[in-house]
């Protein structure tokens, strides 16, 4: 079965968009190459849009609506799809994470999954009341394969001070977790910076997110209770990049951040 044949327009709004895109193109007897030209994309991107391998961006939806005089159909569909929750977003985000050349991470609540020890991750899953914890744990550890890649991605990680102070799983587990962060911080492509609580209100208080550079494109993933959201629209991704830069303005320098992690680790008894 081809990717196009596996689309489920009744169960996924993104699949509906892909099906409608192909239908409208074929009704107008337009080639994929011509559509690629209109959207300023390559031909393979059009194939991926129509097979569900790539999500239509809002800017492209607006071009289609104008070109095909749809009365805003595609912009409406993409808008509704963005506002909703797609169960495939986390899976797609994890696949992009594995291929990314650069990762910029802001974490408000937990040590990022890419740096969690097994004990820390288990304690987190138990606190969340998840079933089949061993399966979740295996997937979490598998994601960390990206850290062993050669060349590894450039990673800039900003953590709220509460992330390193909250003793998830108890003092012993948290000490090991902080030690793991310090070990990772020795890698030249990974930096950790802490946003201290003394800075008060700042842009990062709205929630955790990451920005991934994959090829020549940037994609953001924002976390939320019950699931996250993958952001591929260029304008919206730029807003996350601006937010990341603003958080950077409030963070401690790298050396001061490492010293703070060490002090907190030494205070865990």
């Amino acid at each position: 079965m081809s990717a196009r044949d596996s689309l489920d327009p009744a169960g996924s709004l993104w699949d509906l968009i892909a099906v409608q895109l192909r239908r409208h193109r074929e009704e107008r007897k337009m080639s994929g190459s011509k559509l690629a030209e209109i959207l300023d994309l390559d031909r393979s991107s059009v194939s991926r849009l129509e097979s569900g391998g790539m999500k239509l961006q809002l800017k492209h939806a607006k071009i289609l609506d104008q070109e095909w005089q749809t009365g805003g159909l595609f912009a409406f569909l993409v808008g509704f799809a963005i506002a909703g929750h797609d169960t495939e977003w986390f899976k797609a985000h994890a696949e992009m994470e594995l291929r990314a050349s650069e990762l910029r991470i802001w974490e408000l609540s937990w040590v990022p999954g890419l740096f969690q020890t097994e004990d820390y991750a288990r304690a987190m899953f138990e606190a969340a009341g998840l079933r089949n914890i061993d399966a979740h744990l295996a997937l979490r550890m598998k994601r960390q394969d990206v850290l062993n890649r050669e060349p590894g991605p450039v990673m800039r990680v900003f953590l709220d001070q509460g992330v390193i102070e909250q003793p998830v799983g108890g003092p012993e587990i948290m000490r090991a977790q902080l030690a793991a962060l310090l070990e990772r911080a020795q890698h030249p492509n990974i930096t950790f910076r802490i946003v201290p609580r003394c800075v008060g209100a700042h842009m990062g208080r709205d929630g955790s997110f990451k920005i991934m550079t994959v090829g020549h494109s940037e994609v953001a993933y924002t976390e939320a209770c019950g699931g996250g959201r993958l952001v591929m629209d260029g304008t919206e991704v730029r807003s996350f990049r601006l937010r990341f830069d603003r958080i950077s303005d409030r963070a401690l320098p790298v050396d001061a951040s490492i010293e703070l992690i060490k002090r907190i680790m030494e205070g865990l008894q």
Side-chain angles (χ1 to χ4, degrees):
M1 178 185 293
S2 68
R4 187 173 291 170
D5 292 335
S6 67
L7 292 174
D8 178 19
S12 167
L13 195 48
W14 288 112
D15 285 3
L16 176 62
I17 292 169
V19 169
Q20 289 296 315
L21 177 62
R22 182 187 181 195
R23 182 178 72 80
H24 279 260
R25 177 181 64 79
E26 291 180 341
E27 284 181 350
R28 289 163 176 78
K29 296 182 171 32
M30 180 181 289
S31 68
S33 298
K34 178 61 178 178
L35 180 56
E37 179 181 340
I38 291 171
L39 298 179
D40 195 22
L41 297 171
D42 53 47
R43 178 65 182 84
S44 63
S45 293
V46 170
S47 295
R48 291 169 61 202
L49 285 171
E50 293 185 352
S51 64
M54 176 176 166
K55 291 180 171 64
L56 186 68
Q57 293 188 25
L58 186 58
K59 66 178 181 180
H60 293 140
K62 291 178 178 178
I63 292 172
L64 291 175
D65 288 334
Q66 182 175 1
E67 182 73 21
W68 291 343
Q69 296 295 300
T70 64
L73 172 66
F74 284 95
F76 289 144
L77 288 174
V78 170
F80 283 127
I82 290 173
H85 172 61
D86 190 324
T87 57
E88 294 297 310
W89 270 333
F90 185 83
K91 179 182 177 182
H93 136 262
E95 292 172 351
M96 291 179 182
E97 184 180 73
L98 190 61
R99 295 186 288 116
S101 60
E102 182 176 352
L103 290 165
R104 282 170 279 185
I105 300 171
W106 160 243
E107 183 53 64
L108 182 61
S109 304
W110 306 95
V111 169
L114 290 176
F115 303 102
Q116 291 175 3
T117 65
E118 287 194 30
D119 287 339
Y120 181 100
R122 182 179 294 278
M124 188 185 75
F125 291 145
E126 288 175 349
L130 297 181
R131 297 181 178 179
N132 199 1
I133 288 178
D134 287 342
H136 286 287
L137 192 60
L139 290 174
R140 176 60 48 88
M141 295 300 105
K142 180 62 177 176
R143 277 179 59 202
Q144 296 183 5
D145 286 350
V146 67
L147 300 177
N148 302 318
R149 200 183 70 200
E150 288 294 341
V154 174
M155 305 182 73
R156 298 176 61 202
V157 185
F158 292 172
L159 305 175
D160 181 81
Q161 184 173 342
V163 171
I164 59 174
E165 288 183 333
Q166 186 78 7
V168 174
E172 184 176 345
I173 289 175
M174 196 63 196
R175 276 180 61 88
Q177 176 62 77
L178 295 182
L181 290 182
L182 293 174
E183 191 280 327
R184 287 295 181 183
Q186 297 179 32
H187 293 236
N189 58 316
I190 301 174
T191 58
F192 293 99
R193 294 176 62 190
I194 307 300
V195 177
R197 63 176 72 258
C198 64
V199 304
H202 63 90
M203 270 192 143
R205 301 304 301 175
D206 285 342
S208 306
F209 64 90
K210 72 178 63 171
I211 304 170
M212 302 171 284
T213 301
V214 183
H216 299 291
S217 301
E218 286 187 333
V219 179
Y221 182 76
T222 177
E223 298 180 2
C225 182
R229 181 168 70 91
L230 199 61
V231 179
M232 292 185 285
D233 180 76
T235 300
E236 193 173 1
V237 171
R238 282 191 294 274
S239 74
F240 278 96
R241 191 165 62 239
L242 174 61
R243 186 178 302 180
F244 191 85
D245 290 342
R246 295 286 294 276
I247 294 170
S248 174
D249 292 341
R250 311 308 300 273
L252 295 173
V254 173
D255 290 345
S257 296
I258 296 302
E259 287 304 313
L260 180 57
I261 294 173
K262 288 180 180 178
R263 289 200 303 271
I264 292 173
M265 184 179 72
E266 290 167 358
L268 290 168
Q269 301 296 335

